[in-house]
């Protein structure tokens, strides 16, 4: 999830994908930018997305998003909420399970 402390523009899904690629390029160069990352879902209202990346590229993606501090000259931050090798596991959060 992307967090904007001062509000600001909300990117479309294409702009969000470009932001992810540019974060990878900035930290890891052209090799990082070539990492196959897919945006499976994106909610413009909450700025939340589900990204798909090969397991060998997870650390590169996570580090690039964590170290990105600005978008269009405005402060922003990414917060990784969950990771999983299975999409079904992302459907629910075991920490919020009510018995």
């Amino acid at each position: 999830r992307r967090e904007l402390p001062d509000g600001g523009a909300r990117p479309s899904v294409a702009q969000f994908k470009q932001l992810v690629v540019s974060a990878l390029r900035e930290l890891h160069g052209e090799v990082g930018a070539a990492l196959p990352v897919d945006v499976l879902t994106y909610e413009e209202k909450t700025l939340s997305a589900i990204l798909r990346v090969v397991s060998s590229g997870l650390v590169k993606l996570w580090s690039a998003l964590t170290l990105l501090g600005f978008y269009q000259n405005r402060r922003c931050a990414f917060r990784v909420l969950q990771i999983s090798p299975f999409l079904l596991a992302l459907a629910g959060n075991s920490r919020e399970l009510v018995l």
Side-chain angles (χ1 to χ4, degrees), residues 1-98:
R1 177 176 52 191
R2 190 168 146 242
E3 298 179 357
L4 298 167
D6 58 352
R10 297 186 177 274
S12 66
V13 66
Q15 292 170 325
F16 185 83
K17 169 77 185 252
Q18 184 60 36
L19 175 64
V20 170
V21 171
S22 65
L24 283 163
R25 179 177 289 118
E26 185 177 316
L27 186 62
H28 299 291
E30 290 301 319
V31 173
L35 187 68
V37 177
D38 297 321
V39 179
L40 298 181
T41 63
Y42 177 68
E43 293 181 29
E44 196 170 327
K45 184 177 181 180
T46 62
L47 298 175
S48 298
I50 295 178
L51 303 176
R52 179 174 57 187
V53 66
V54 293
S55 61
S56 61
L58 176 64
V59 173
K60 285 183 181 180
L61 177 62
W62 198 333
S63 61
L65 293 177
T66 300
L67 294 175
L68 184 70
F70 289 91
Y71 172 69
Q72 294 181 344
N73 296 326
R74 290 202 166 127
R75 292 179 48 197
C76 72
F78 278 90
R79 182 178 309 265
V80 178
L81 302 176
Q82 288 181 314
I83 61 168
S84 176
F86 308 106
L87 283 176
L88 187 59
L90 298 176
N93 187 349
S94 63
R95 294 179 182 165
E96 298 173 356
L97 182 65
V98 178

